[in-house]
Amino acid sequence: MKREHRLRYIIREGIQDTFFIWKDELKNVFKDSGVMIFFFLVPFIYPLLYAFMHEAKMVVVDQSDTYLSREYIRKVDATADVKVIAVCTDMEEAKRMMDEKKAYGILYFPSEFSKDIHRGKQATVSLYCDMSALLFYKAFLLATTEVSLEIGKEIRAQNHPSSTEEQ
């Protein structure tokens, strides 16, 4: 009987200690202005900023200059959040536009882009972003990933003529 009473006492003390620590830490949370801003102010401001954010402006450097790269650019530009404002001839011109804040990202197609795809190799498209606006980075990354997956799906379907559109 004494052992059972002792076990109940230990459990009750453990629960009381847990609640004491919880209450003490909660007081500390409400005393810390940084935590208060992060927990309460940021969740309300972030959606407002995202809603008022205009299209993320992107510059493209297309060294491949092929049908596939132009199709890729067209589809990225057609996404809801990204606007392709220019196609530059070299990276220096694109960097200059980013420095002047005319654009917040660069999409770079190497000269081997279409050749690699037609050889069945993995093609590389590079994305450079101004990290001062993470919302733009998110828009660029989502848009380029969606387009990449869509074009990859189309190419696989073309390479397997026996497959239907549903497959």
Side-chain angles (χ1 to χ4, degrees), residues 88-163:
C88 299
T89 55
D90 61 358
M91 282 297 283
E92 293 307 313
E93 184 181 355
K95 286 179 188 176
R96 199 172 322 107
M97 291 184 79
M98 274 187 65
D99 289 341
E100 295 169 359
K101 299 293 183 196
K102 292 180 181 176
Y104 297 97
I106 300 172
L107 189 63
Y108 176 76
F109 291 90
S111 57
E112 309 84 34
F113 175 73
S114 286
K115 291 176 189 172
D116 286 346
I117 290 175
H118 291 301
R119 289 183 194 145
K121 292 173 60 180
Q122 182 174 351
T124 303
V125 176
S126 300
L127 174 64
Y128 302 94
C129 297
D130 179 359
M131 295 306 288
S132 64
L134 288 174
L135 294 175
F136 291 143
Y137 170 73
K138 178 183 174 189
F140 294 145
L141 188 62
L142 286 174
T144 55
T145 302
E146 282 179 27
V147 170
S148 177
L149 292 172
E150 183 181 333
I151 287 179
K153 182 175 67 173
E154 291 171 3
I155 290 171
R156 278 192 297 278
Q158 289 174 357
N159 290 341
H160 298 290
S162 63
S163 63

Side-chain angles (χ1 to χ4, degrees), residues 2-13:
K2 207 170 193 179
R3 186 174 187 197
E4 184 179 305
H5 177 68
R6 188 170 165 207
L7 181 61
R8 284 185 189 168
Y9 175 76
I10 291 171
I11 292 172
R12 189 176 75 228
E13 284 291 313

